[in-house]
Amino acid sequence: MDQRTYIMIKPDAVKRGLIAPIIQRFENTGLVIERLELAVLTREQAAANYVEHEGKPFYEGLIEYITSGPVVKMVLAGPEAVMVCRKLMGATNPRDAAPGTVRGDFGLTVDANVVHGSDSSESARREIDIFFGE
Ligand SMILES: Nc1nc2c(ncn2[C@@H]2O[C@H](COP(=O)(O)OP(=O)(O)OP(=O)(O)O)[C@@H](O)[C@H]2O)c(=O)[nH]1
Ligand SMILES: [Mg+2]
């Protein structure tokens, strides 16, 4: 059974010219890219995506950062797509992320941690609707 997940290359990685090597990592898994678009997120989209973090000390900085420049929005599909991508991304804090993962290899700080990926099938549906819904 194929599953869909929402993946986003964050502004720091786009600014550093890392779009191609990061997409390569995701393609290497065998998952299929169904949607792909460069865009600057609206504040509304950013707030909807991170609603679970509203009120936390890092929330305002997170919204500022994620809307600070272009991101690459993607939908990937295939068996266990959510889990496969989360494993590939590595831990939230790049300092804890294993070498070989996207955050482990390209990330420096928890604030600018290179990529976002849905954490469940339900989150994926919600996020795909936020970022690709009509
Ligand atoms: N400064 C700071 N940022 C945090 C902290 N926890 C989470 N964040 C930021 O908020 C984002 C969302 O947090 P989570 O959803 O818990 O982590 P995640 O699922 O690995 O990351 P995303 O894929 O971006 O959603 C993270 O990617 C971090 O950039 C924290 O304790 N301090
Ligand atoms: Mg998350």
Side-chain angles (χ1 to χ4, degrees), residues 10 50 53 58 62 86 89 92 103 110-111 113 116-117:
K10 295 185 178 184
Y50 285 124
H53 298 301
F58 59 86
L62 180 59
R86 294 287 292 193
M89 287 160 52
T92 303
R103 286 166 171 166
V110 70
D111 311 278
N113 60 2
H116 163 81

Side-chain angles (χ1 to χ4, degrees), residues 51-122:
V51 67
E52 75 204 77
H53 298 301
E54 211 182 326
K56 292 184 187 170
F58 59 86
Y59 176 77
E60 275 305 321
L62 180 59
I63 300 296
E64 284 294 312
Y65 159 68
I66 205 70
T67 57
S68 68
V71 297
V72 176
K73 309 186 296 175
M74 292 185 278
V75 176
L76 271 74
E80 306 290 345
V82 169
M83 196 239 337
V84 167
C85 288
R86 294 287 292 193
K87 270 178 114 165
L88 180 69
M89 287 160 52
T92 303
N93 190 332
R95 267 185 290 174
D96 303 324
T101 64
V102 175
R103 286 166 171 166
D105 289 351
F106 297 116
L108 288 173
T109 69
V110 70
D111 311 278
N113 60 2
V114 184
V115 281
H116 163 81
S118 309
D119 59 14
S120 68
S121 210
E122 295 67 47

Side-chain angles (χ1 to χ4, degrees), residues 1 15 20 27-28 30 34 42 44 55 57 60-61 70 76-77 87 99 101 103 106-107 118 124 126 132:
M1 250 304 273
K15 286 196 182 97
E27 283 193 307
N28 288 349
E34 285 193 343
T42 64
E44 289 67 33
E60 275 305 321
L76 271 74
K87 270 178 114 165
T101 64
R103 286 166 171 166
F106 297 116
S118 309
R126 197 177 65 83
F132 286 107

